[in-house]
Amino acid sequence: MTEPYWLSHVREYLHGANVESYLKDHDIGHYELTVNGADRHGGVEWTYQSESEHPRRYVRLSIIPDPSGARGTLELIAGASDGHRYATRRIALMQVETTALDKELPQQWLYGAFHEAERISLTERDAQFPDLVTQQHK
């Protein structure tokens, strides 16, 4: 099965963001890319997960492409789970050009998702968190 052409652009974006160096330079916990462009119910997902387990923290980037693959719905989420409770924060939900993520999703938003994941407290009774960024491109 041939990979959709736009997936390589997303991988280049994530590689260019150099997440590992950013996390180290800003003294944020160690995260590992555990899901690398996996098919999830018609979308494609990348998940960075922390090594710590109590709570386990994660950042997930998902894209559901339109039929052409040229555009898609992007969702960026930060979350934490201790195995019993979890909380998530949506960082971004927007329409993007899948081959131009470097222009449409600023790396600071991606980096900010890791900061949000580190701040999530599971003692907040799984509170609903407001969207930090919601943007619609036309």
Side-chain angles (χ1 to χ4, degrees), residues 12-109:
E12 287 174 22
Y13 168 82
L14 291 172
H15 180 73
N18 204 353
V19 169
E20 293 80 10
S21 289
Y22 179 85
L23 297 176
K24 183 178 179 184
D25 292 347
H26 292 85
D27 199 27
I28 299 174
H30 180 73
Y31 286 72
E32 179 180 348
L33 183 61
T34 58
V35 177
N36 187 0
D39 185 344
R40 295 280 197 258
H41 309 290
V44 183
E45 180 178 300
W46 291 262
T47 302
Y48 290 88
Q49 191 166 308
S50 67
E51 286 188 341
S52 66
E53 293 193 20
H54 300 290
R56 185 170 301 275
R57 299 176 186 283
Y58 60 90
V59 170
R60 182 174 58 234
L61 174 69
S62 303
I63 297 177
I64 300 172
D66 68 11
S68 73
R71 295 194 60 74
T73 302
L74 178 143
E75 184 175 43
L76 181 60
I77 292 189
S81 170
D82 65 5
H84 301 286
R85 296 183 302 161
Y86 70 93
T88 61
R89 293 183 184 171
R90 181 182 286 153
I91 307 302
L93 177 63
M94 60 189 181
Q95 294 295 311
V96 296
E97 187 176 327
T98 56
T99 58
L101 278 185
D102 54 332
K103 295 179 185 122
E104 301 221 27
L105 179 67
Q107 288 180 354
Q108 291 306 319
W109 288 7

Side-chain angles (χ1 to χ4, degrees), residues 112-132:
F114 290 96
H115 290 281
E116 287 301 317
E118 291 294 312
R119 283 193 283 262
I120 291 174
S121 169
L122 296 178
T123 61
E124 296 175 17
R125 291 192 26 92
D126 303 331
Q128 294 295 317
F129 296 100
D131 292 352
L132 297 177

